[in-house]
Amino acid sequence: MSTPLQYIREHADALRAEARPSDRLGRLTDRSVEIIRGSEGMKILHSKDHGGFEGHPNDFFDWVVEVGRHHPSAGWVAGVVGIHPWEIAIWGQQAEDEVYGPKGEKAEHWVSSPYAPFGRLVPTDGGYRFTGRWPFATGSDHVEWAILGGMIAGEDGQPTTPPTVVHVLVPRSDIEIVPESWNVMGLSGTGSNDITVDAFVPEHRVLVADDVRGNVYTDRHRPDNPLYHMQFGLMFPFAISAGTFGIARGAVDAAYAHIVGRVSTQGTKSRTDPFTMAALARAEADVEAGMAHIKQLVAEHHEWVSAGRGHICVEDRLRFRIDQVRATDRAVEAVGELYRLMGSSAIQQASPLEPYWRDLQVAASHVCNVREICYTAWGAHAFGGQVPPTALY
């Protein structure tokens, strides 16, 4: 068992107690952050030469799931923020030194996103003038840096043709959080605020998105490190799945606790009701099978790159994506069917079940969990068509 995972299990009760307070705050409580930082799980995918562990991706998955089963918003932040050290490791030494310190003396720093290309970069001496507004900056109240999506623009501020989409690394000092911009039905505690930027960005803090997906920076900066050859388009959806499965696992746990004491209006004990037991069994099996499926795929891909066999091909990346979204879908559907049988008491805001259901609906809506994009891209590739870059994230 990894040390981060063990730490979360030892602090499960304390973490669970912070879930509703985080939802009320609209961000993680300070105690939630303290527990996550104390586990050091954010360092699992972080480079060793800058203070991280360079662990196996499945160690990261297990850690995120464990956080999320006790505190859904914390698990979501763990997945989204925790994947960014992987990209920072391929950014190049100058940028990584700025974020984490040349010797990892700032290894505790957190990095948020979003990657939506809503920013505009107008070239200027030594870099760009970067402006824009982005929604869904998960964990933005607690980070020191952010990776933001943008497009290179001309002097008129309009994107060039053809467009060049980029990832831009920005310090917290250049970011403004838009007040009262995170008002949602679920995952309220993630603090996924709108943010704005109007700042100078040097050239070394800008990466071309297509080259990130194509492992150009990995080949340049981490050519002999298998972890960083795992492909961005695989790793980021993997992290979103981890956050989603953490909530699903917690939802099933909450159902067990609810069923023990529930008696229907007809006087039937839920723990003896065959329909309830069947739905519980399906949810238990589909959640566990989904996690096992995703971890097996990741283990196979990690073994491939560890053996030095080259990049993970488009066909295998698309296979991962259709399996990933299908596994997530099965879990969400199974939990939904189970919760339909939990009775009217389960819809009360005081019920332990209610927040899990809401949070799971929001998690399922993330673009990395949207099945249609992946299915149509896989089909196009299978029959010789063009694969849209969005399918590979």
Side-chain angles (χ1 to χ4, degrees), residues 83-125:
I83 195 62
H84 294 134
W86 184 91
E87 184 175 3
I88 299 299
I90 66 171
W91 208 293
Q93 184 169 344
Q94 186 175 1
E96 195 169 10
D97 286 354
E98 288 177 332
V99 175
Y100 297 126
K103 297 181 180 179
E105 56 267 30
K106 295 183 285 187
E108 297 297 330
H109 279 185
W110 287 9
V111 182
S112 66
S113 44
Y115 291 95
F118 295 157
R120 298 294 178 262
L121 296 93
V122 177
T124 187
D125 290 343

Side-chain angles (χ1 to χ4, degrees), residues 75-297:
W76 195 257
V77 171
V80 173
V81 174
I83 195 62
H84 294 134
W86 184 91
E87 184 175 3
I88 299 299
I90 66 171
W91 208 293
Q93 184 169 344
Q94 186 175 1
E96 195 169 10
D97 286 354
E98 288 177 332
V99 175
Y100 297 126
K103 297 181 180 179
E105 56 267 30
K106 295 183 285 187
E108 297 297 330
H109 279 185
W110 287 9
V111 182
S112 66
S113 44
Y115 291 95
F118 295 157
R120 298 294 178 262
L121 296 93
V122 177
T124 187
D125 290 343
Y128 303 89
R129 191 71 193 179
F130 186 42
T131 58
R133 175 170 174 161
W134 297 260
F136 305 114
T138 294
S140 51
D141 294 286
H142 305 287
V143 304
E144 288 77 23
W145 291 80
I147 302 171
L148 303 175
M151 294 185 185
I152 304 297
E155 292 184 0
D156 60 357
Q158 296 302 307
T160 57
T161 304
T164 300
V165 177
V166 294
H167 296 175
V168 185
L169 189 58
V170 181
R172 177 65 181 83
S173 58
D174 288 340
I175 296 170
E176 294 290 335
I177 294 177
V178 179
E180 303 299 323
S181 56
W182 185 238
N183 299 290
V184 289
M185 64 171 272
L187 290 178
S188 301
T190 62
S192 300
N193 304 289
D194 285 18
I195 59 173
T196 62
V197 170
D198 184 353
F200 170 77
V201 176
E203 291 181 358
H204 72 271
R205 291 204 215 129
V206 179
L207 300 184
V208 176
D210 282 346
D211 290 345
V212 173
R213 284 191 290 267
N215 270 17
V216 171
Y217 301 106
T218 297
D219 291 342
R220 183 181 304 166
H221 301 299
R222 301 280 181 180
D224 301 318
N225 192 311
L227 173 61
Y228 302 113
H229 282 265
M230 284 290 289
Q231 307 279 166
F232 177 84
L234 187 154
M235 291 295 287
F236 195 86
F238 171 69
I240 295 301
S241 278
T244 306
F245 272 101
I247 303 167
R249 181 64 265 177
V252 178
D253 293 344
Y256 274 102
H258 183 74
I259 287 168
V260 167
R262 180 176 180 266
V263 179
S264 74
T265 55
Q266 288 78 35
T268 302
K269 293 180 180 180
S270 289
R271 64 180 181 271
T272 64
D273 175 46
F275 302 109
T276 300
M277 291 299 99
L280 178 62
R282 285 194 298 271
E284 175 70 28
D286 282 346
V287 170
E288 289 295 321
M291 291 192 292
H293 189 182
I294 289 173
K295 289 175 63 178
Q296 177 61 33
L297 291 170

Side-chain angles (χ1 to χ4, degrees), residues 308-367:
R309 295 171 181 160
H311 294 171
I312 301 168
C313 68
V314 170
E315 181 177 354
D316 286 345
R317 289 152 66 188
L318 288 172
R319 164 60 65 178
F320 174 82
R321 291 289 278 124
I322 64 170
D323 287 359
Q324 171 242 323
V325 295
R326 185 63 191 132
T328 303
D329 245 14
R330 285 196 299 266
V332 173
E333 290 168 1
V335 169
E337 289 300 310
L338 174 62
Y339 271 45
R340 287 181 62 188
L341 297 174
M342 292 298 95
S344 57
S345 61
I347 69 171
Q348 300 290 333
Q349 289 188 355
S351 167
L353 282 73
E354 184 265 350
Y356 280 104
W357 186 89
R358 286 188 294 104
D359 291 344
L360 192 57
Q361 309 317 301
V362 174
S365 73
H366 191 281
V367 66

